[in-house]
Amino acid sequence: MDEERLREVWRQKKIPVVIRRAEKGHKLRVRLPFAENNRQWLNKVGKSSVTWIDSKSYWELPKNWFNDFVNRALERYGKLYVIQPYREQEKCAPACMNAEGHECQCACMGVNHGNRNNGSWFEVSETFATRWGEKEIACRLMVSKGANIQCDEI
């Protein structure tokens, strides 16, 4: 997702947004539609208290509150943007990477067929190898549909 679209999501004021970062020690960053009782509502999510970062206009919450916050936000607002890091996982097999012919029935759809393992693949077994792509940022809109939650990547 491009940075400008992420900024638009973060700056809008109608739908709550939570940013979950992967680095250790980083807290959740949350923006909510304005309400006088936001602090009280957030403090009911967990056992410690939340912090308002006035200079940046967001709340900081402990990282381990993520699931409870998402559930409560969907219950209260019906929608929630989640911005978080992800890395795509590629899957292949040593048999494919070491193949001699053109027939490929692997998950890579022939992309790695016969190209050998250049050291970037972790070979789990004779039939499975995996590697992770670069870290990227994803944004998804979660929408509560009664007891169901729908996720749309934006």
Side-chain angles (χ1 to χ4, degrees), residues 42-77:
L42 284 168
N43 278 325
K44 290 180 183 176
V45 175
K47 294 185 179 189
S48 55
S49 61
V50 298
T51 304
W52 173 250
I53 308 301
D54 194 43
S55 62
K56 306 266 183 166
S57 300
Y58 63 78
W59 297 96
E60 278 192 345
L61 287 66
K63 198 180 234 180
N64 63 350
W65 287 19
F66 181 73
N67 289 328
D68 290 335
F69 170 77
V70 167
N71 291 336
R72 288 178 48 84
L74 287 171
E75 187 178 299
R76 182 177 187 185
Y77 297 100

Side-chain angles (χ1 to χ4, degrees), residues 12 35 50 64 66 81 98 100 111 116 127 129 134 139 147-148:
Q12 59 80 38
V50 298
N64 63 350
F66 181 73
Y81 283 111
N98 299 322
E100 299 284 327
V111 172
R116 308 284 182 250
T127 58
E134 296 296 318
C139 181
N148 299 319

